[in-house]
Amino acid sequence: MIHPLIQQLEGKLIVSCQAYVGEPMRHPETMAQMALAAEQGGAAAIRCQGLADIAAIKGQVEVPVIGLWKEGHEGVYITPTLRHARACSLAGADVVALDATDRPRPNGETFESIVAACKEEGILTMADCSCIEDIRRGLEAGCDIVSTTMAGYVPGGRPKTEGPDLELLREAVAIANGVPVICEGRLHNPAQAAAAMEAGAFACVVGTAITHPTSITRWFVDAVE
């Protein structure tokens, strides 16, 4: 049974508002303003990272917030421990996104143990997956959402596709048994988002193409020059 908060996202657009250390827009208030602008444009939910950003965005928007906490740059860095997951929830995240790979985590924790603890505490979870094995792991663990977020970004994993990994999306939908499958990753234009929905996505997450002006500018510069 799909949680009512997640059910309202079916057929909708989720906008990811993230900026990183050293980037001009790296400020919680800026991300909150970006999130509010996305909400006014019709976004059904906001995905964001970092406790300060989660709290700032939750204070600005009325739509659900999918929160995560990135720590480090290698291995499992998307909400790597239960402590990170709890902190995201306490900061205001309605859903907490977790790395669903089988790679080692700190303190001997596992993806499964973190999801189990979250379920016991009533924290909704989204499994960020890189391959069909991760999708299965997320489903078996009982995650409320599985997504294609990490497809093409894990060393030795699936090759990085030019756009969204629609093949993985279709494979995931085929085995999800009603669990929402969200398409995320390299959705750079409306046509790609529409293709993802046609391939069976429950919803789509778009980030860079909407909320990362440095990348968007670079696309145009490359085209012009």
Side-chain angles (χ1 to χ4, degrees):
M1 184 175 180
I2 302 174
H3 190 281
L5 182 143
I6 295 172
Q7 186 65 65
Q8 66 183 292
L9 305 181
E10 185 173 11
K12 304 293 185 179
L13 173 69
I14 300 165
V15 173
S16 179
C17 298
Q18 300 185 47
Y20 305 99
V21 175
E23 294 185 345
M25 299 180 69
R26 182 70 194 98
H27 191 282
E29 183 178 358
T30 301
M31 288 296 98
Q33 292 170 334
M34 184 72 78
L36 182 58
E39 181 186 43
Q40 291 179 355
I46 301 295
R47 178 172 161 117
C48 57
Q49 84 85 25
L51 303 184
D53 285 18
I54 292 170
I57 289 170
K58 187 63 178 177
Q60 284 286 346
V61 303
E62 297 181 5
V63 296
V65 172
I66 300 171
L68 56 136
W69 180 353
K70 290 183 178 178
E71 186 164 272
H73 302 283
E74 298 179 354
V76 176
Y77 58 85
I78 297 178
T79 322
T81 70
L82 179 57
R83 175 178 67 87
H84 290 84
R86 284 172 171 157
C88 289
S89 179
L90 289 171
D94 299 291
V95 180
V96 175
L98 309 164
D99 179 310
T101 68
D102 63 355
R103 295 176 293 179
R105 287 165 168 74
N107 311 319
E109 293 184 65
T110 65
F111 169 73
E112 289 80 4
S113 69
I114 295 170
V115 174
C118 285
K119 288 174 70 67
E120 288 182 5
E121 298 174 23
I123 299 173
L124 300 177
T125 55
M126 174 175 174
D128 286 353
C129 304
S130 70
C131 60
I132 196 63
E133 289 77 16
D134 294 349
I135 296 287
R136 290 194 181 95
R137 188 175 299 106
L139 295 171
E140 291 171 2
C143 287
D144 300 281
I145 300 168
V146 294
S147 75
T148 61
T149 309
M150 300 178 67
Y153 295 110
V154 174
R158 293 177 67 88
K160 187 175 181 180
T161 53
E162 181 68 23
D165 193 334
L166 297 183
E167 180 181 358
L168 175 60
L169 173 64
R170 293 187 184 95
E171 291 176 1
V173 171
I175 66 171
N177 195 29
V179 174
V181 180
I182 288 179
C183 184
E184 180 174 6
R186 299 181 299 281
L187 287 159
H188 290 164
N189 57 60
Q192 290 176 333
M197 298 307 297
E198 291 173 4
F202 184 84
C204 286
V205 175
V206 177
T208 302
I210 296 176
T211 63
H212 201 266
T214 302
S215 294
I216 299 168
T217 302
R218 190 176 298 118
W219 296 344
F220 279 89
V221 168
D222 289 344
V224 169
E225 296 182 353

